[in-house]
Amino acid sequence: MQNRWLKLKYYTLILALFTSCNPDIEQGFEKIPAGLNLAEDLFRKIRPDKKYQYWACIRQDFESKIHPETEIIIGHGNISHLMNNKFDQPKSGFYFDLFRGYFYIVYLENDSMKLVTNKAQLIRFIGKIDGLEEALLLAKITNLEADYSRDIGGSYQKTKKGFELYLSRFHKCPVKTEAFRVSIDILGNVKAKNLGFYYNVDSNICLD
């Protein structure tokens, strides 16, 4: 009798772990298309509502690098505007990458060069957040991205107010993954509800 009870307890535990690894999501959600995880790919999808004489998203190496580089990730308009209008290079950007440096936007409006170096300025530059890529970009800045291996970490649906998403936050030490239920409206407001850790690579089990 005791052995049977122990087996039942064991199978119940295994079932609970399996279920927690594959939690259900709400109906109406679909998988986020592949190729929308890299920050630079999302930058190339930026489409501001307003037409500017010229704008570019620029990657700048940190000053600590021996030979810091400046790279134009994407540019729209005549690049001569960038060459002929001076501006002070910012010391920070709206997105940071430990190995790639920081990213900012420069744009020409009314013959004056202006900069986008933080999230609030980025939202004003883009205008209405009505594209999935724009929503994912704001999520990326908040350290949230799609986990294509699981619906709980990589699903979305379009709503009248913006986007509802299931996204993930990856942790490197120890390696584990955290799920979030995210709302992003057309004004760029981001709300994230923590759903807990759902995978631990080190032990290959789900976390309660």
Side-chain angles (χ1 to χ4, degrees):
M1 184 68 178
Q2 185 176 6
N3 288 339
R4 183 179 300 176
W5 184 84
L6 289 174
K7 287 182 180 180
L8 179 60
K9 184 178 179 180
Y10 174 78
Y11 290 133
T12 302
L13 177 61
I14 294 298
L15 180 61
L17 288 173
F18 180 78
T19 303
S20 63
C21 279
N22 297 275
D24 294 329
I25 64 171
E26 300 170 44
Q27 291 186 347
F29 281 75
E30 56 185 294
K31 275 187 173 294
I32 294 174
L36 296 180
N37 248 355
L38 294 178
E40 294 181 33
D41 289 339
L42 293 174
F43 300 154
R44 295 186 179 97
K45 299 291 185 179
I46 292 176
R47 296 293 181 268
D49 287 346
K50 187 174 180 179
K51 186 175 179 60
Y52 295 100
Q53 294 169 275
Y54 178 81
W55 71 270
C57 180
I58 296 176
R59 179 188 67 82
Q60 179 62 47
D61 280 333
F62 295 116
E63 291 183 352
S64 57
K65 194 170 182 179
I66 297 177
H67 300 292
E69 297 178 345
T70 301
E71 176 187 6
I72 297 177
I73 301 301
I74 183 174
H76 284 273
N78 192 330
I79 195 173
S80 64
H81 289 302
L82 182 64
M83 304 303 177
N84 297 330
N85 291 270
K86 294 183 179 180
F87 65 93
D88 293 329
Q89 179 182 297
K91 300 299 182 182
S92 63
F94 60 83
Y95 182 76
F96 293 82
D97 185 290
L98 181 62
F99 302 103
R100 298 281 287 156
Y102 59 91
F103 298 80
Y104 66 93
I105 288 174
V106 59
Y107 64 98
L108 181 64
E109 184 178 32
N110 299 324
D111 297 318
S112 176
M113 299 300 285
K114 299 179 181 180
L115 298 172
V116 174
T117 60
N118 59 48
K119 181 181 176 181
Q121 292 173 344
L122 177 64
I123 293 172
R124 288 198 297 270
F125 177 77
I126 294 175
K128 186 165 61 175
I129 307 300
D130 53 6
L132 176 60
E133 294 88 355
E134 296 167 345
L136 289 173
L137 173 56
L138 294 186
K140 186 78 171 178
I141 293 173
T142 318
N143 195 25
L144 295 168
E145 57 187 84
D147 176 2
Y148 293 112
S149 67
R150 299 174 188 273
D151 291 343
I152 192 66
S155 303
Y156 82 101
Q157 70 172 355
K158 183 79 169 67
T159 69
K160 292 181 179 180
K161 295 182 179 180
F163 290 87
E164 299 289 331
L165 311 100
Y166 286 95
L167 296 173
S168 299
R169 179 170 292 160
F170 299 97
H171 299 262
K172 295 181 179 179
C173 187
V175 179
K176 51 189 178 182
T177 313
E178 194 174 9
F180 286 82
R181 177 71 157 75
V182 183
S183 298
I184 302 176
D185 65 23
I186 59 175
L187 298 178
N189 297 307
V190 180
K191 295 181 180 179
K193 179 182 179 182
N194 191 320
L195 302 179
F197 293 101
Y198 66 87
Y199 193 64
N200 182 344
V201 175
D202 288 343
S203 58
N204 200 34
I205 62 171
C206 292
L207 300 176
D208 294 330

